[in-house]
Amino acid sequence: MHKALVAKLLGGAIVMFAFAVFAMPPLYRLACDVLGIGPQQYSAYEEAAAAVDESRTVKVQFMSTNQGAMPWVFEPAQFEVEVHPGERAEVAYYAKNTTSRDMVAQAIPSVVPISAVDYLHKIECFCFERQPLGAGEETDMKLVFFVDPELPKSVGTLTLSYSVFDITDRVASEVSLN
Amino acid sequence: MAHGPAKGVTRWLFTTNHKDIGTLYLWFSFAMFILGGFFAMVIRAELFEPGMQLVRPEFFNQMTTMHGLVMVFGAIMPSFVGLANWMIPMMIGAPDMALPRMNNLSFWILPPAFLMLASTLFMEAGAPNFGWTFYAPLSTTYAPETVNYFIFAVHIMGASSIMGSINIVATVLNMRAPGMTMMKMPLFVWTWLITAFLLIAVMPVLAGAVTMMLMDINFGTAFFEAAGGGDPVLFQHIFWFFGHPEVYIIILPAFGVISEIIPTFSRKPLFGYASMVYATSAIAFLSFIVWAHHMFLVGMPVSGELYFMYATMLIAVPTGVKVFNWVSTMFRGAISYETPMLFAIAFVILFTLGGFTGLMLAIAPSDIQYHDTYFVVAHFHYVMVAGAVFSMSAAVYYWLPKWTGRMYNEAMGKLHFWISFIGFNITFFPQHFLGLGGMPRRYADYALQFADWNMVSSIGAFIYGASQILFLYNVIATIVAGKKVSEPKTWDGANGLEWSLPTPPPYHTFTTPPDASVIEENSTVAH
Ligand code: HEM
Ligand SMILES: [Cu+2]
């Protein structure tokens, strides 16, 4: 007499497990996209450039963080630029692998304030790719972006910050898995 | 059917009897309570004075982590499962639990799980040290190797809880004696039924969270790792989607116990029985939609903060209904103050206090100040210790004479109560001040201005800890040498089918369901 009920309850438990593992991560991603939070833009902005609004100037600031024990030197080449909305800007981050081994890094971007997230468009960014650097190597990494003219009037300054992660081991294990 | 228990250890290993399994759960949870309490003593001893005296900071972190894990998953949860096993069949007129063999399994997988968890203390990498909430990446990228034992242990605990809950739901829905309708069930049965549904819904989510950790750590996925495109904040959402219902899993059966005890010693039926059932259901439902009140500081949009703030404050409404009903039950009752009632009254007062601090924490802008301070520690110990643990103490004193046929020592019981009550408040009340003063939680050391209240808190903790030894002594003394009692009702005001049985109850009870008239006479619901 208990079989049907037990089957239902067990089924419920299995559904909840699947919900956690398979549905919650994509739902979270979706919520972040809709709300404009989290590590926001993963690939190049593809839509046509907008007209330049010369009547307005916004300040874009650059920051860098080394995650955990990441030993590289990683810093913006310039700490801020002033741009007109719609105007393309090209800046660079400097990176140097100060160690004696080859490493791979990944930079993860973040923008504040939240209300500006949807209006900073990256056309080219080192953060779209992994950054391999040999022992002692250094490089300037390119970032091309523009600020959308629709940017809310209340926002005068945008801060773009990158955290750089050491993913050498992760890449190595991927290779060995393949 | 009319046979007694088997002899020797095989009785306990192979038993499918709900009373035996209830006893096993209760003793196991008490053992875990002592173990977790020992960890707490280490924590409070280290915090007795500023500076590092007894342990290394790494070990301190292992202690806070293990204390939380052992108390939540080893002490509180199994203790209420034990109570459910003992009481539910006797309260609804059923001969046993619906699935006796699964019942045996769900208990016997627990001790190995905790043995495995505790064994990490002796391993070179040390025990888990990332807090009982095991946030990624502390518990993934930066975790000690022993995290895999932890994960496996959590899987087993989850399986045990899910099996236990399925069993309880099946028992309550399918095994009630004819005439025992849903709205005649004692409130303890109701609260457990709802708790069991909560467990079935969220223990798999916990299992999912640790499974994702396992994948991240060992198989190169990046659910929670930003470097691989994941997000550690996702972990917190998943954890608290489990975690907030979990706190109600802990407290709902306690509500049930209190709702049995207060009417007995007030000699009045429970006030507002139906509203208690609805309030419990409402709390259970709401518990699914408030989880991010633990995450006000992760950088949610303002709309999210507001939503979670108001939704959380909404829970205070059904909770308030319950407190109102308990107080109304006592109002103008012929109250007597035996030990179970003392614990129950203390529960009502102290749990309400914990609810109020919960409301303070629910206010998002204030929580920016309170979050991760000792204020939170004070809050959850008021609801979990003065709530769940006090109600468990009350339950043991209340039903022990029924279970054993022997009366406990009332004077010693009262002494236990008063020492617990005073010790508990000396320990945790000052932690409100510490938290408001800005002392962060989970550190092995603190700034000098926090020295005095920390010392007070530690002294309180030693007092509270010691009083539990008294409790253990009283229980054992009752079992081996307590004064024999045989009247079915230990307490003159008690209602419920369990009190229609002989004292102590035979090994098998209600092998034939009780008459409708017996159910009616012993009903806990106002006639
Ligand atoms: C009116 C009812 C309640 C409200 C409004 C409430 C609210 C809150 C809030 C907002 C927090 C997060 C504080 C922070 O981390 O900054 C919190 C933490 C906590 N609450 Fe409650 N709570 C309530 C009842 C309970 C109950 C009944 C329990 C358990 C029996 C409980 C257990 C906990 C625990 C364990 C934590 C801390 C978790 C951790 O970070 O380790 N609460 N509560
Ligand atoms: Cu919560």
Side-chain angles (χ1 to χ4, degrees):
Chain A
M1 97 177 140
H2 306 303
K3 272 209 182 106
L5 178 62
V6 172
K8 266 187 236 162
L9 296 172
L10 205 59
I14 292 167
V15 167
M16 286 310 289
F17 180 84
F19 173 72
V21 177
F22 299 112
M24 283 173 94
L27 279 174
Y28 172 72
R29 194 54 76 216
L30 185 72
C32 287
D33 284 349
V34 172
L35 296 166
I37 45 178
Q40 293 110 4
Q41 193 192 330
Y42 295 97
S43 56
Y45 184 73
E46 308 254 312
E47 281 160 54
V52 178
D53 176 1
E54 304 234 338
S55 66
R56 209 177 148 195
T57 312
V58 289
K59 194 188 281 180
V60 183
Q61 300 178 322
F62 301 97
M63 288 175 61
S64 63
T65 310
N66 283 29
Q67 270 294 327
M70 176 62 168
W72 289 15
V73 175
F74 173 66
E75 57 198 26
Q78 62 298 299
F79 289 100
E80 60 179 51
V81 294
E82 300 209 334
V83 294
H84 298 303
E87 176 193 354
R88 267 178 190 234
E90 184 178 325
V91 296
Y93 269 67
Y94 169 78
K96 175 167 184 173
N97 179 354
T98 50
T99 68
S100 53
R101 60 203 164 90
D102 298 348
M103 290 176 69
V104 188
Q106 171 75 54
I108 304 286
S110 163
V111 177
V112 285
I114 284 182
S115 56
V117 167
D118 288 341
Y119 303 95
L120 188 103
H121 303 310
K122 300 185 208 99
I123 299 164
E124 249 185 276
C125 179
F126 54 91
C127 60
F128 299 151
E129 324 245 293
R130 294 165 170 176
Q131 295 297 318
L133 278 186
E137 257 187 307
E138 58 187 344
T139 181
D140 277 319
M141 302 183 296
K142 197 157 113 180
L143 165 67
V144 183
F145 69 93
F146 71 93
V147 177
D148 200 302
E150 305 281 311
L151 178 75
K153 289 277 177 292
S154 58
V155 182
T157 306
L158 290 175
T159 306
L160 177 54
S161 133
Y162 287 96
S163 297
V164 68
F165 291 78
D166 174 5
I167 58 165
T168 315
D169 292 343
R170 169 174 295 277
V171 173
S173 67
E174 274 170 24
V175 171
S176 68
L177 281 178
N178 288 343
Chain B
M1 274 297 268
H3 60 80
K7 296 272 177 288
V9 284
T10 53
R11 162 174 180 187
W12 301 105
L13 279 177
F14 303 125
T15 183
T16 55
N17 178 286
H18 72 101
K19 299 184 186 76
D20 281 354
I21 294 177
T23 304
L24 285 170
Y25 265 111
L26 288 171
W27 277 114
F28 173 75
S29 64
F30 197 83
M32 290 294 110
F33 184 56
I34 298 290
L35 181 68
F38 177 73
F39 297 153
M41 294 300 110
V42 175
I43 295 170
R44 281 321 318 174
E46 178 54 54
L47 294 176
F48 190 75
E49 283 181 338
M52 298 308 301
Q53 276 88 29
L54 299 172
V55 297
R56 288 170 294 112
E58 297 78 18
F59 188 71
F60 183 89
N61 292 343
Q62 295 172 25
M63 286 292 102
T64 51
T65 306
M66 293 292 277
H67 166 69
L69 290 170
V70 167
M71 284 305 198
V72 168
F73 295 105
I76 298 183
M77 290 171 69
S79 71
F80 283 108
V81 180
L83 214 52
N85 263 294
W86 251 105
M87 303 317 299
I88 289 178
M90 301 206 308
M91 284 176 159
I92 62 174
D96 205 310
M97 296 293 281
L99 309 154
R101 274 183 261 189
M102 189 165 88
N103 206 9
N104 174 293
L105 183 64
S106 56
F107 172 75
W108 276 113
I109 60 179
L110 271 186
F114 280 91
L115 206 63
M116 189 162 63
L117 183 64
S119 70
T120 58
L121 278 165
F122 303 100
M123 295 182 192
E124 206 174 307
N129 56 3
F130 30 68
W132 84 277
T133 54
F134 52 101
Y135 282 8
L138 268 185
S139 62
T140 52
T141 316
Y142 304 106
E145 284 155 31
T146 49
V147 65
N148 288 315
Y149 292 91
F150 157 81
I151 290 173
F152 192 42
V154 171
H155 275 135
I156 299 176
M157 293 167 207
S160 164
S161 286
I162 292 169
M163 286 193 285
S165 306
I166 290 179
N167 210 345
I168 287 169
V169 174
T171 307
V172 174
L173 294 186
N174 290 344
M175 307 267 293
R176 296 191 315 280
M180 175 57 74
T181 59
M182 293 297 273
M183 289 310 269
K184 278 193 190 143
M185 293 192 315
L187 216 77
F188 177 74
V189 180
W190 256 115
T191 54
W192 241 119
L193 177 66
I194 293 166
T195 303
F197 276 113
L198 283 180
L199 277 164
I200 294 170
V202 300
M203 285 315 274
V205 173
L206 176 69
V210 293
T211 305
M212 286 184 256
M213 278 169 56
L214 187 79
M215 302 282 292
D216 274 12
I217 295 167
N218 300 299
F219 304 111
T221 56
F223 286 103
F224 307 132
E225 187 162 335
D231 192 334
V233 176
L234 170 64
F235 176 86
Q236 297 188 27
H237 281 290
I238 298 175
F239 179 82
W240 287 115
F241 187 82
F242 148 78
H244 188 78
E246 166 69 15
V247 309
Y248 284 96
I249 286 165
I250 285 172
I251 206 66
L252 292 185
F255 287 172
V257 168
I258 298 305
S259 303
E260 302 301 324
I261 291 175
I262 287 185
T264 295
F265 295 97
S266 305
R267 291 163 184 83
K268 274 174 68 192
L270 184 67
F271 183 88
Y273 170 87
S275 70
M276 284 299 218
V277 173
Y278 299 132
T280 311
S281 314
I283 291 174
F285 170 74
L286 289 173
S287 73
F288 282 103
I289 57 168
V290 298
W291 74 91
H293 62 220
H294 296 272
M295 304 169 54
F296 283 135
L297 275 90
V298 295
M300 266 190 287
V302 178
S303 51
E305 303 253 329
L306 287 174
Y307 162 74
F308 282 110
M309 167 169 133
Y310 288 124
T312 301
M313 294 168 82
L314 208 58
I315 297 196
V317 176
T319 311
V321 168
K322 305 200 76 121
V323 174
F324 178 84
N325 287 348
W326 290 320
V327 175
S328 303
T329 307
M330 286 188 270
F331 183 65
R332 296 199 162 162
I335 302 182
S336 59
Y337 297 93
E338 284 85 349
T339 310
M341 185 61 166
L342 290 176
F343 273 106
I345 295 173
F347 170 99
V348 175
I349 297 167
L350 299 180
F351 174 80
T352 304
L353 225 140
F356 282 143
T357 54
L359 274 172
M360 292 171 70
L361 293 165
I363 299 169
S366 316
D367 188 58
I368 294 170
Q369 171 72 21
Y370 309 145
H371 182 66
D372 266 348
T373 68
Y374 263 78
F375 193 78
V376 178
V377 178
H379 158 67
F380 69 72
H381 283 91
Y382 267 81
V383 282
M384 303 229 276
V385 178
V389 178
F390 272 31
S391 90
M392 202 54 221
S393 309
V396 170
Y397 285 114
Y398 185 57
W399 282 303
L400 191 63
K402 180 89 232 169
W403 295 337
T404 60
R406 288 168 185 273
M407 192 61 192
Y408 64 86
N409 180 328
E410 187 65 56
M412 213 192 297
K414 285 191 168 135
L415 188 67
H416 168 217
F417 167 75
W418 282 110
I419 301 178
S420 288
F421 181 82
I422 293 167
F424 170 84
N425 282 295
I426 295 178
T427 313
F428 293 108
F429 206 78
Q431 294 188 1
H432 292 112
F433 313 149
L434 289 169
L436 294 178
M439 178 174 163
R441 61 191 280 213
R442 292 179 168 154
Y443 284 91
D445 195 5
Y446 47 82
L448 287 180
Q449 70 266 31
F450 302 125
D452 295 350
W453 285 124
N454 266 299
M455 190 176 284
V456 171
S457 179
S458 288
I459 292 170
F462 302 145
I463 296 174
Y464 182 77
S467 78
Q468 304 315 311
I469 306 298
L470 194 64
F471 182 38
L472 178 65
Y473 176 80
N474 201 353
V475 170
I476 293 176
T478 307
I479 294 170
V480 294
K483 190 168 115 318
K484 288 215 160 119
V485 283
S486 58
E487 64 274 22
K489 280 195 183 195
T490 311
W491 317 104
D492 59 297
N495 275 310
L497 274 183
E498 77 267 33
W499 303 109
S500 72
L501 292 167
T503 299
Y507 197 53
H508 295 286
T509 42
F510 292 128
T511 42
T512 49
D515 268 1
S517 62
V518 177
I519 294 178
E520 213 43 53
E521 263 166 49
N522 291 284
S523 176
T524 52
V525 185
H527 326 265

PDB file of all heavy atoms in Angstrom, chain B residues 255 276 279 283 313-328 351-352 356:
ATOM      1  N   PHE B 255       8.384  23.054  17.593  1.00  0.00           N
ATOM      2  CA  PHE B 255       7.058  23.669  17.767  1.00  0.00           C
ATOM      3  C   PHE B 255       6.042  22.592  18.154  1.00  0.00           C
ATOM      4  O   PHE B 255       5.167  22.807  18.997  1.00  0.00           O
ATOM      5  CB  PHE B 255       6.575  24.312  16.454  1.00  0.00           C
ATOM      6  CG  PHE B 255       7.274  25.592  16.069  1.00  0.00           C
ATOM      7  CD1 PHE B 255       7.042  26.171  14.827  1.00  0.00           C
ATOM      8  CD2 PHE B 255       8.151  26.228  16.940  1.00  0.00           C
ATOM      9  CE1 PHE B 255       7.665  27.353  14.456  1.00  0.00           C
ATOM     10  CE2 PHE B 255       8.781  27.411  16.577  1.00  0.00           C
ATOM     11  CZ  PHE B 255       8.531  27.976  15.328  1.00  0.00           C
ATOM     12  N   MET B 276      -2.787  26.665  14.167  1.00  0.00           N
ATOM     13  CA  MET B 276      -1.419  26.153  14.307  1.00  0.00           C
ATOM     14  C   MET B 276      -1.024  25.371  13.058  1.00  0.00           C
ATOM     15  O   MET B 276       0.083  25.505  12.549  1.00  0.00           O
ATOM     16  CB  MET B 276      -1.318  25.216  15.518  1.00  0.00           C
ATOM     17  CG  MET B 276      -1.287  25.917  16.831  1.00  0.00           C
ATOM     18  SD  MET B 276       0.130  27.000  16.986  1.00  0.00           S
ATOM     19  CE  MET B 276       0.586  26.771  18.675  1.00  0.00           C
ATOM     20  N   ALA B 279      -0.579  27.859  10.245  1.00  0.00           N
ATOM     21  CA  ALA B 279       0.625  28.680  10.439  1.00  0.00           C
ATOM     22  C   ALA B 279       1.876  27.872  10.110  1.00  0.00           C
ATOM     23  O   ALA B 279       2.805  28.367   9.457  1.00  0.00           O
ATOM     24  CB  ALA B 279       0.684  29.201  11.877  1.00  0.00           C
ATOM     25  N   ILE B 283       4.564  28.810   7.277  1.00  0.00           N
ATOM     26  CA  ILE B 283       5.993  28.986   7.556  1.00  0.00           C
ATOM     27  C   ILE B 283       6.801  28.113   6.600  1.00  0.00           C
ATOM     28  O   ILE B 283       7.803  28.552   6.028  1.00  0.00           O
ATOM     29  CB  ILE B 283       6.316  28.615   9.019  1.00  0.00           C
ATOM     30  CG1 ILE B 283       5.702  29.638   9.967  1.00  0.00           C
ATOM     31  CG2 ILE B 283       7.816  28.528   9.239  1.00  0.00           C
ATOM     32  CD1 ILE B 283       5.851  29.285  11.434  1.00  0.00           C
ATOM     33  N   MET B 313      10.373  39.253   6.587  1.00  0.00           N
ATOM     34  CA  MET B 313       9.600  39.808   7.703  1.00  0.00           C
ATOM     35  C   MET B 313       8.194  39.224   7.742  1.00  0.00           C
ATOM     36  O   MET B 313       7.587  39.102   8.809  1.00  0.00           O
ATOM     37  CB  MET B 313       9.562  41.329   7.593  1.00  0.00           C
ATOM     38  CG  MET B 313      10.954  41.899   7.794  1.00  0.00           C
ATOM     39  SD  MET B 313      11.089  43.617   7.360  1.00  0.00           S
ATOM     40  CE  MET B 313      10.465  44.386   8.813  1.00  0.00           C
ATOM     41  N   LEU B 314       7.723  38.771   6.586  1.00  0.00           N
ATOM     42  CA  LEU B 314       6.414  38.140   6.518  1.00  0.00           C
ATOM     43  C   LEU B 314       6.353  36.876   7.376  1.00  0.00           C
ATOM     44  O   LEU B 314       5.310  36.542   7.938  1.00  0.00           O
ATOM     45  CB  LEU B 314       6.126  37.790   5.053  1.00  0.00           C
ATOM     46  CG  LEU B 314       4.682  37.739   4.602  1.00  0.00           C
ATOM     47  CD1 LEU B 314       4.023  39.081   4.853  1.00  0.00           C
ATOM     48  CD2 LEU B 314       4.621  37.399   3.116  1.00  0.00           C
ATOM     49  N   ILE B 315       7.486  36.153   7.474  1.00  0.00           N
ATOM     50  CA  ILE B 315       7.493  34.913   8.264  1.00  0.00           C
ATOM     51  C   ILE B 315       7.144  35.189   9.712  1.00  0.00           C
ATOM     52  O   ILE B 315       6.624  34.332  10.415  1.00  0.00           O
ATOM     53  CB  ILE B 315       8.859  34.211   8.177  1.00  0.00           C
ATOM     54  CG1 ILE B 315       9.132  33.801   6.743  1.00  0.00           C
ATOM     55  CG2 ILE B 315       8.899  32.975   9.073  1.00  0.00           C
ATOM     56  CD1 ILE B 315      10.232  32.786   6.609  1.00  0.00           C
ATOM     57  N   ALA B 316       7.431  36.398  10.161  1.00  0.00           N
ATOM     58  CA  ALA B 316       7.131  36.710  11.557  1.00  0.00           C
ATOM     59  C   ALA B 316       5.625  36.619  11.830  1.00  0.00           C
ATOM     60  O   ALA B 316       5.220  36.411  12.972  1.00  0.00           O
ATOM     61  CB  ALA B 316       7.659  38.088  11.915  1.00  0.00           C
ATOM     62  N   VAL B 317       4.798  36.754  10.792  1.00  0.00           N
ATOM     63  CA  VAL B 317       3.351  36.735  11.020  1.00  0.00           C
ATOM     64  C   VAL B 317       2.867  35.344  11.464  1.00  0.00           C
ATOM     65  O   VAL B 317       2.323  35.209  12.568  1.00  0.00           O
ATOM     66  CB  VAL B 317       2.578  37.255   9.786  1.00  0.00           C
ATOM     67  CG1 VAL B 317       1.080  37.143  10.015  1.00  0.00           C
ATOM     68  CG2 VAL B 317       2.983  38.691   9.479  1.00  0.00           C
ATOM     69  N   PRO B 318       3.062  34.283  10.648  1.00  0.00           N
ATOM     70  CA  PRO B 318       2.636  32.970  11.150  1.00  0.00           C
ATOM     71  C   PRO B 318       3.380  32.551  12.419  1.00  0.00           C
ATOM     72  O   PRO B 318       2.811  31.859  13.270  1.00  0.00           O
ATOM     73  CB  PRO B 318       2.946  32.007   9.999  1.00  0.00           C
ATOM     74  CG  PRO B 318       3.850  32.735   9.076  1.00  0.00           C
ATOM     75  CD  PRO B 318       3.565  34.193   9.259  1.00  0.00           C
ATOM     76  N   THR B 319       4.641  32.990  12.556  1.00  0.00           N
ATOM     77  CA  THR B 319       5.375  32.650  13.778  1.00  0.00           C
ATOM     78  C   THR B 319       4.721  33.330  14.974  1.00  0.00           C
ATOM     79  O   THR B 319       4.557  32.724  16.044  1.00  0.00           O
ATOM     80  CB  THR B 319       6.853  33.068  13.655  1.00  0.00           C
ATOM     81  OG1 THR B 319       7.358  32.594  12.405  1.00  0.00           O
ATOM     82  CG2 THR B 319       7.683  32.493  14.780  1.00  0.00           C
ATOM     83  N   GLY B 320       4.298  34.558  14.766  1.00  0.00           N
ATOM     84  CA  GLY B 320       3.605  35.278  15.827  1.00  0.00           C
ATOM     85  C   GLY B 320       2.298  34.593  16.208  1.00  0.00           C
ATOM     86  O   GLY B 320       1.946  34.525  17.389  1.00  0.00           O
ATOM     87  N   VAL B 321       1.604  34.044  15.211  1.00  0.00           N
ATOM     88  CA  VAL B 321       0.362  33.312  15.485  1.00  0.00           C
ATOM     89  C   VAL B 321       0.645  32.172  16.454  1.00  0.00           C
ATOM     90  O   VAL B 321      -0.093  31.942  17.423  1.00  0.00           O
ATOM     91  CB  VAL B 321      -0.249  32.765  14.172  1.00  0.00           C
ATOM     92  CG1 VAL B 321      -1.367  31.774  14.470  1.00  0.00           C
ATOM     93  CG2 VAL B 321      -0.757  33.911  13.300  1.00  0.00           C
ATOM     94  N   LYS B 322       1.747  31.471  16.224  1.00  0.00           N
ATOM     95  CA  LYS B 322       2.059  30.331  17.083  1.00  0.00           C
ATOM     96  C   LYS B 322       2.341  30.778  18.507  1.00  0.00           C
ATOM     97  O   LYS B 322       1.833  30.195  19.465  1.00  0.00           O
ATOM     98  CB  LYS B 322       3.255  29.562  16.523  1.00  0.00           C
ATOM     99  CG  LYS B 322       3.045  29.136  15.080  1.00  0.00           C
ATOM    100  CD  LYS B 322       3.962  28.021  14.696  1.00  0.00           C
ATOM    101  CE  LYS B 322       3.446  26.759  15.295  1.00  0.00           C
ATOM    102  NZ  LYS B 322       3.136  25.698  14.403  1.00  0.00           N
ATOM    103  N   VAL B 323       3.165  31.813  18.620  1.00  0.00           N
ATOM    104  CA  VAL B 323       3.502  32.286  19.964  1.00  0.00           C
ATOM    105  C   VAL B 323       2.233  32.754  20.678  1.00  0.00           C
ATOM    106  O   VAL B 323       1.998  32.440  21.852  1.00  0.00           O
ATOM    107  CB  VAL B 323       4.553  33.407  19.889  1.00  0.00           C
ATOM    108  CG1 VAL B 323       4.801  34.006  21.272  1.00  0.00           C
ATOM    109  CG2 VAL B 323       5.864  32.869  19.315  1.00  0.00           C
ATOM    110  N   PHE B 324       1.401  33.456  19.950  1.00  0.00           N
ATOM    111  CA  PHE B 324       0.125  33.916  20.517  1.00  0.00           C
ATOM    112  C   PHE B 324      -0.683  32.722  21.035  1.00  0.00           C
ATOM    113  O   PHE B 324      -1.230  32.750  22.145  1.00  0.00           O
ATOM    114  CB  PHE B 324      -0.665  34.671  19.444  1.00  0.00           C
ATOM    115  CG  PHE B 324      -2.003  35.143  19.903  1.00  0.00           C
ATOM    116  CD1 PHE B 324      -2.130  36.337  20.599  1.00  0.00           C
ATOM    117  CD2 PHE B 324      -3.145  34.389  19.649  1.00  0.00           C
ATOM    118  CE1 PHE B 324      -3.373  36.768  21.038  1.00  0.00           C
ATOM    119  CE2 PHE B 324      -4.387  34.815  20.089  1.00  0.00           C
ATOM    120  CZ  PHE B 324      -4.503  36.007  20.790  1.00  0.00           C
ATOM    121  N   ASN B 325      -0.745  31.662  20.240  1.00  0.00           N
ATOM    122  CA  ASN B 325      -1.529  30.493  20.636  1.00  0.00           C
ATOM    123  C   ASN B 325      -0.965  29.808  21.882  1.00  0.00           C
ATOM    124  O   ASN B 325      -1.717  29.348  22.741  1.00  0.00           O
ATOM    125  CB  ASN B 325      -1.609  29.481  19.487  1.00  0.00           C
ATOM    126  CG  ASN B 325      -2.544  29.961  18.385  1.00  0.00           C
ATOM    127  OD1 ASN B 325      -3.291  30.911  18.566  1.00  0.00           O
ATOM    128  ND2 ASN B 325      -2.495  29.302  17.248  1.00  0.00           N
ATOM    129  N   TRP B 326       0.357  29.734  21.970  1.00  0.00           N
ATOM    130  CA  TRP B 326       0.944  29.110  23.170  1.00  0.00           C
ATOM    131  C   TRP B 326       0.626  29.942  24.395  1.00  0.00           C
ATOM    132  O   TRP B 326       0.244  29.421  25.437  1.00  0.00           O
ATOM    133  CB  TRP B 326       2.474  28.973  23.020  1.00  0.00           C
ATOM    134  CG  TRP B 326       2.886  27.960  22.013  1.00  0.00           C
ATOM    135  CD1 TRP B 326       2.309  26.745  21.796  1.00  0.00           C
ATOM    136  CD2 TRP B 326       3.974  28.070  21.078  1.00  0.00           C
ATOM    137  NE1 TRP B 326       2.970  26.090  20.777  1.00  0.00           N
ATOM    138  CE2 TRP B 326       3.996  26.875  20.322  1.00  0.00           C
ATOM    139  CE3 TRP B 326       4.931  29.042  20.810  1.00  0.00           C
ATOM    140  CZ2 TRP B 326       4.937  26.636  19.320  1.00  0.00           C
ATOM    141  CZ3 TRP B 326       5.868  28.804  19.818  1.00  0.00           C
ATOM    142  CH2 TRP B 326       5.863  27.610  19.079  1.00  0.00           C
ATOM    143  N   VAL B 327       0.777  31.237  24.259  1.00  0.00           N
ATOM    144  CA  VAL B 327       0.500  32.102  25.413  1.00  0.00           C
ATOM    145  C   VAL B 327      -0.980  32.016  25.775  1.00  0.00           C
ATOM    146  O   VAL B 327      -1.347  31.920  26.951  1.00  0.00           O
ATOM    147  CB  VAL B 327       0.932  33.554  25.112  1.00  0.00           C
ATOM    148  CG1 VAL B 327       0.533  34.479  26.256  1.00  0.00           C
ATOM    149  CG2 VAL B 327       2.438  33.623  24.876  1.00  0.00           C
ATOM    150  N   SER B 328      -1.845  31.983  24.759  1.00  0.00           N
ATOM    151  CA  SER B 328      -3.281  31.889  25.033  1.00  0.00           C
ATOM    152  C   SER B 328      -3.645  30.563  25.677  1.00  0.00           C
ATOM    153  O   SER B 328      -4.585  30.488  26.464  1.00  0.00           O
ATOM    154  CB  SER B 328      -4.085  32.046  23.745  1.00  0.00           C
ATOM    155  OG  SER B 328      -3.770  33.260  23.140  1.00  0.00           O
ATOM    156  N   PHE B 351      12.799  31.688  22.404  1.00  0.00           N
ATOM    157  CA  PHE B 351      12.631  31.575  20.955  1.00  0.00           C
ATOM    158  C   PHE B 351      12.077  32.883  20.400  1.00  0.00           C
ATOM    159  O   PHE B 351      12.501  33.353  19.342  1.00  0.00           O
ATOM    160  CB  PHE B 351      11.692  30.413  20.589  1.00  0.00           C
ATOM    161  CG  PHE B 351      11.393  30.383  19.128  1.00  0.00           C
ATOM    162  CD1 PHE B 351      12.305  29.847  18.246  1.00  0.00           C
ATOM    163  CD2 PHE B 351      10.230  30.946  18.618  1.00  0.00           C
ATOM    164  CE1 PHE B 351      12.064  29.871  16.878  1.00  0.00           C
ATOM    165  CE2 PHE B 351       9.987  30.983  17.267  1.00  0.00           C
ATOM    166  CZ  PHE B 351      10.899  30.437  16.390  1.00  0.00           C
ATOM    167  N   THR B 352      11.148  33.472  21.133  1.00  0.00           N
ATOM    168  CA  THR B 352      10.587  34.741  20.669  1.00  0.00           C
ATOM    169  C   THR B 352      11.672  35.811  20.600  1.00  0.00           C
ATOM    170  O   THR B 352      11.738  36.594  19.645  1.00  0.00           O
ATOM    171  CB  THR B 352       9.451  35.183  21.614  1.00  0.00           C
ATOM    172  OG1 THR B 352       8.499  34.118  21.670  1.00  0.00           O
ATOM    173  CG2 THR B 352       8.769  36.429  21.112  1.00  0.00           C
ATOM    174  N   PHE B 356      12.870  37.936  17.360  1.00  0.00           N
ATOM    175  CA  PHE B 356      13.023  39.393  17.254  1.00  0.00           C
ATOM    176  C   PHE B 356      14.380  39.771  16.669  1.00  0.00           C
ATOM    177  O   PHE B 356      14.477  40.637  15.797  1.00  0.00           O
ATOM    178  CB  PHE B 356      12.849  40.054  18.625  1.00  0.00           C
ATOM    179  CG  PHE B 356      11.408  40.176  19.043  1.00  0.00           C
ATOM    180  CD1 PHE B 356      11.022  40.003  20.362  1.00  0.00           C
ATOM    181  CD2 PHE B 356      10.426  40.473  18.107  1.00  0.00           C
ATOM    182  CE1 PHE B 356       9.698  40.106  20.742  1.00  0.00           C
ATOM    183  CE2 PHE B 356       9.097  40.581  18.478  1.00  0.00           C
ATOM    184  CZ  PHE B 356       8.733  40.394  19.805  1.00  0.00           C
TER     185      PHE B 356
END
